[in-house]
Amino acid sequence: MEQIALYTIAYKGLKIGSYDFDFQVDNKLFEAYEAEEILGGDCRVKVELKRSESMLELNVDIWGEVICECDRCLENCNIPIEFSGLLTVRFSDLQHDYDGDVMWIAKGDQLS
């Protein structure tokens, strides 16, 4: 759990505005999540967070490589990855399901 805490954004303490976060992800994070498909990796994650009163907008860029087991030969394979995406997080006291575009969280929840 300590490893996962390194990637938690403490948004509650942030004032309204824009913030940049930069994370280096390595084998320790994949081990902490006990990921079966991803055996390890080395990735860079940049997050531009825009905080407003009622929501967060996170522009996320991830690039690097992960290590997975080949389905055919069962050898470890380095797979390059590159991802850019937007996550909108809205605050609500009501329970909502993630619909693929917006994630809803209670005002007291942590985001990691």
Side-chain angles (χ1 to χ4, degrees):
M1 286 306 274
E2 290 179 27
Q3 188 65 31
I4 295 169
L6 296 174
Y7 303 96
T8 300
I9 297 174
Y11 68 90
K12 290 183 213 170
L14 300 177
K15 296 180 181 179
I16 293 173
S18 293
Y19 300 88
D20 293 319
F21 298 92
D22 194 6
F23 301 104
Q24 189 68 38
V25 176
D26 59 18
N27 294 346
K28 293 177 186 176
L29 181 66
F30 298 113
E31 290 168 5
Y33 274 106
E34 299 177 358
E36 293 180 17
E37 294 85 17
I38 300 176
L39 304 174
D42 184 25
C43 301
R44 182 98 180 260
V45 179
K46 286 192 165 258
V47 179
E48 178 188 323
L49 181 144
K50 293 181 184 174
R51 187 182 191 339
S52 70
E53 190 67 34
S54 62
M55 66 183 223
L56 304 170
E57 287 184 350
L58 296 99
N59 285 303
V60 180
D61 292 306
I62 304 170
W63 66 96
E65 67 180 27
V66 294
I67 302 168
C68 298
E69 185 178 86
C70 177
D71 290 338
R72 260 183 24 195
C73 68
L74 303 178
E75 301 256 341
N76 288 350
C77 298
N78 292 348
I79 300 172
I81 61 166
E82 191 171 322
F83 170 82
S84 290
L86 173 67
L87 174 63
T88 301
V89 180
R90 294 195 180 268
F91 307 124
S92 175
D93 292 330
L94 302 174
Q95 181 98 14
H96 297 280
D97 291 329
Y98 176 62
D99 65 7
D101 292 319
V102 178
M103 176 186 286
W104 296 84
I105 61 173
K107 292 182 181 180
D109 288 349
Q110 284 288 348
L111 184 63
S112 58

